[in-house]
């Protein structure tokens, strides 16, 4: 057999071995939700609990219905002044918005022991 052919075969075998040793790709971990998404959900839930329409609350605040809808869906990040106005229109103290936000952010978190022996906080 020709020595050149032997080296070609060996090189191919080496490549196959290298490829098979690559670690399996890990599943992408879910991204944590943005604060604006969490606050938007809380405002929407509160508005619905009061049986109020987007139009009603938007008029009380002085913003467009479309903008309020985007805030509730977490697509727009309203200023703190605007958030206070929406909370006032819903008779929802800002402190409650903040505390509900914290509870929703941490509701699905668990502690996990890492490979190195440390403790990690992770989303469940």
């Amino acid at each position: 057999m020709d020595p050149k052919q032997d080296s070609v075969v060996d090189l191919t075998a080496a490549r196959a071995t290298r490829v098979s040793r690559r670690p399996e790709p890990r599943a992408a971990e879910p991204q944590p939700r943005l604060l604006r998404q969490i606050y938007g959900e809380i405002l929407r839930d509160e508005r619905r609990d009061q049986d109020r329409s987007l139009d009603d609350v938007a008029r009380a605040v002085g913003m467009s219905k479309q903008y309020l809808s985007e805030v509730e869906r977490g697509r727009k990040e309203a200023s703190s002044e605007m958030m206070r106005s929406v909370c006032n229109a819903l008779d929802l103290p800002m402190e409650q918005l903040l505390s509900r936000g914290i509870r929703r952010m941490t509701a699905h978190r668990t502690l996990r022991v890492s490979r190195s022996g440390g403790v990690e906080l992770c989303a469940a």
Side-chain angles (χ1 to χ4, degrees):
M1 192 168 191
D2 183 18
K4 289 182 182 178
Q5 281 183 330
D6 285 343
S7 64
V8 171
V9 171
D10 292 340
L11 182 59
T12 304
R15 284 184 183 154
T17 304
R18 270 197 314 244
V19 170
S20 66
R21 290 184 188 172
R22 289 185 184 153
E24 293 288 324
R26 293 194 305 176
E29 293 189 22
Q31 292 293 320
R33 292 186 308 156
L34 298 173
L35 194 55
R36 70 176 184 238
Q37 293 170 318
I38 294 169
Y39 286 159
E41 288 174 4
I42 295 166
L43 293 174
R44 182 181 56 231
D45 292 346
E46 186 65 29
R47 178 182 58 77
R48 288 179 175 172
D49 288 347
Q50 295 178 16
D51 290 323
R52 294 180 67 186
S53 69
L54 272 169
D55 192 50
D56 175 40
V57 175
R59 284 180 191 218
V61 174
M63 68 170 55
S64 73
K65 181 172 86 171
Q66 292 80 12
Y67 186 74
L68 179 57
S69 173
E70 289 184 346
V71 168
E72 286 186 353
R73 288 181 288 144
R75 299 210 174 162
K76 295 286 184 184
E77 190 156 0
S79 67
S80 58
E81 292 87 1
M82 197 61 76
M83 293 295 276
R84 182 183 59 211
S85 296
V86 174
C87 285
N88 288 341
L90 294 170
D91 293 322
L92 175 69
M94 283 287 287
E95 296 84 3
Q96 278 192 12
L97 176 67
L98 298 173
S99 64
R100 288 184 192 180
I102 290 169
R103 281 196 304 271
R104 287 191 188 194
M105 287 175 69
T106 58
H108 301 290
R109 304 245 173 180
T110 59
L111 292 178
R112 171 176 76 186
V113 177
S114 69
R115 292 179 186 166
S116 63
V119 177
E120 298 174 351
L121 184 65
C122 61

